[in-house]
Amino acid sequence: MKGRIGAALGGLAGLCGFVLLVAYQDLGELGGLLAGFGWGIAAVVLAHIPPMMVSALAWRAIARPLHAGRWGLFLWARTVREAVGGVLPVTQVGGDFAGARVLAFHGARAVVAGASVLVDLTLE
């Protein structure tokens, strides 16, 4: 219960920070900047989805003997890993810890979650 409250508060703080940053940077100017990218930015985002899905499937295949989580859970953990790694590039391992934490939060033993991330990184 305590972890869920912390996660909800963290998410709310992140959302508030995002709204404040967008408001500070002028929404109209930001929209103009994104419109200037055209469909190219959407193509880049869409092209990144299939490799993430395959990586999530592979990670699930590695971890399945020890943790039978759903494929969507591994896709979410993979997304969190990449997001944290991209936002905090100083700590490249931060995303890996966050991905393992997502699995542990959803029922995997911590040692299994951590080991599966390590094996996934090694194979990747």
Side-chain angles (χ1 to χ4, degrees):
M1 183 69 173
K2 194 192 293 187
R4 290 182 191 255
I5 292 172
L9 290 174
L12 183 60
L15 180 62
C16 289
F18 175 75
V19 168
L20 287 172
L21 281 173
V22 169
Y24 178 74
Q25 295 296 324
D26 185 23
L27 185 59
E29 186 177 333
L30 184 61
L33 180 66
L34 289 175
F37 290 136
W39 289 102
I41 192 90
V44 169
V45 170
L46 290 175
H48 191 65
I49 292 173
M52 281 190 56
M53 293 171 76
V54 170
S55 292
L57 284 170
W59 188 11
R60 180 178 183 239
I62 297 167
R64 192 164 196 180
L66 299 174
H67 179 67
R70 301 176 324 275
W71 171 75
L73 171 62
F74 286 90
L75 181 60
W76 174 247
R78 181 67 189 202
T79 303
V80 168
R81 273 175 59 186
E82 290 201 15
V84 171
V87 170
L88 302 171
V90 176
T91 59
Q92 288 296 318
V93 295
D96 304 325
F97 284 116
R101 180 66 184 122
V102 168
L103 290 183
F105 187 74
H106 288 279
R109 292 189 339 238
V111 69
V112 170
S116 72
V117 169
L118 182 62
V119 172
D120 182 50
L121 285 169
T122 303
L123 293 175
E124 186 182 315

